[in-house]
Amino acid sequence: MRSVVCVKRVPDTAVDVKVAAGGKSVDTSGIEPILNPYDEYALESALRLKDAAGAGEVTVLSLGPGEATKEVRKGLAMGADKGVLLKAADTGKDALSVAKTLVATLEGLSFDVLFFGARAVDTDDFQVGPMVADLLKLPFAGEVVEVVKGADGRIVATREQEGGHAKIALRTPCAVSFQKGVHEPRPATLPGIMKAKKKPLEDKDATVAPSRLEVLSVELPAKRPPGKIVGKGPDAVPELVRLLREEAKVL
């Protein structure tokens, strides 16, 4: 079972976000980059798929600056077999340009399943995975939580939905994007980190497809107003209902 997992270097989400000078981007100074959390769920599923098959190869593919070798190495430390970094100082904000850049490399790779995180926590657009699948003419299942090998060489993807789960059978090669999966991503252990140093990691310059999207402004959400205590017990209910109707406007 051969899999390619597309991963992204993103700012750590456990920090206070600030808008950069100019008001068109997030200030990343002093923020430690991390591997996109949703991509870790995708990678965990790819590794489990390989383990269940008893053979195969998992490749981690990333588009980003040269420093993103750190995040690719983390993928190798988690268990991937090899990594590919497409180096670009600026990948832009246009999901389609990113998708086209990835496709230019993916067309030269052989795989059964192409994995994505459903979204990157910085742009939060949910678009790159479906766009790559469409450009490559691959069957696609989005926002899945688990992938297993099914009958007749097909892949069965599970998607959560209201009231239960949907199971989708895909013929390979195919593509899937992961939300938070049913299996927690395995940690990068010390032995894994040491092994990752010897695993192949190819880095090559990439030409990002032209972007047709322009960010006009970035703003932080308005601060929530302080809460109110309207009373205690049943006597407070009429006033609470009035506030919910007239001020909060949720009734």
Side-chain angles (χ1 to χ4, degrees), residues 5 10 17 29 45-46 65-67 76 92 117 140 166 203 211 221 227 237 247:
V5 186
V10 297
V17 175
S29 60
S45 183
E67 296 82 4
L76 298 177
F140 174 77
D203 63 84
S211 175
V237 172
E247 291 191 13

Side-chain angles (χ1 to χ4, degrees), residues 21 51 69 91 96 106 109 137 198 238:
D51 293 343
T69 52
T91 58
L96 182 58
L106 289 166
L109 300 179
K137 306 302 181 186
K198 298 180 180 180

